[in-house]
Amino acid sequence: MDGGPESHTGWTFLTNHARVLAAIADNPSVRIRHIAARCRLTERAVQKIISDLERDGYLSHVREGRTNTYQIEPDKVLRHPAEAGLPVAALLSLLVQDEADRSANSDQLRAARQRMPVDGG
């Protein structure tokens, strides 16, 4: 990643906790630096989020040499009352894509952007 994470203003649909959890769901042995790059966060922020998720029982890890392998608790329910009873697995099923699907979607998005008129008309 070049420099630090890109800044963002305004609201987003997902929390950083959801982004980190999705990155781990994609690859349980992912390194913190790769999570940070993917989620556009600092490594320190990712470490704090992982700590939050572990403290509240959504995530655990096993140390294997120099690598952590994370285990998500798929049946743990989401925290907000509006999602009462909805398990983490349901959220992750929406967020986690096969890497091939992600590449294809990125290619489609780039192609669509190239076809869009620059002046908006």
Side-chain angles (χ1 to χ4, degrees):
M1 187 161 78
D2 299 329
E6 294 177 22
S7 64
H8 180 289
T9 58
W11 62 275
T12 64
F13 283 102
L14 301 175
T15 66
N16 290 335
H17 285 65
R19 287 186 187 97
V20 168
L21 203 59
I24 291 170
D26 249 357
N27 177 2
S29 298
V30 67
R31 293 184 179 268
I32 287 177
R33 87 174 66 128
H34 295 123
I35 297 171
R38 175 176 169 174
C39 298
R40 295 195 167 111
L41 299 169
T42 64
E43 290 181 29
R44 185 175 178 127
V46 171
Q47 288 171 335
K48 169 135 180 24
I49 289 168
I50 288 173
S51 176
D52 290 345
L53 293 168
E54 286 185 319
R55 183 185 60 243
D56 290 342
Y58 289 90
L59 188 65
S60 60
H61 76 275
V62 174
R63 187 91 172 149
E64 297 174 356
R66 295 177 57 193
T67 304
N68 286 326
T69 299
Y70 298 97
Q71 174 68 43
I72 295 171
E73 293 300 326
D75 297 327
K76 183 95 170 154
V77 295
L78 299 178
R79 294 171 45 121
H80 196 280
E83 292 92 31
L86 186 65
V88 168
L91 173 66
L92 292 175
S93 71
L94 297 172
L95 298 179
V96 177
Q97 295 178 343
D98 187 11
E99 193 64 37
D101 290 343
R102 188 176 298 121
S103 280
N105 288 341
S106 293
D107 292 343
Q108 290 172 351
L109 182 57
R110 271 192 293 281
R113 284 183 180 154
Q114 289 173 349
R115 290 190 303 266
M116 291 175 70
V118 176
D119 64 0

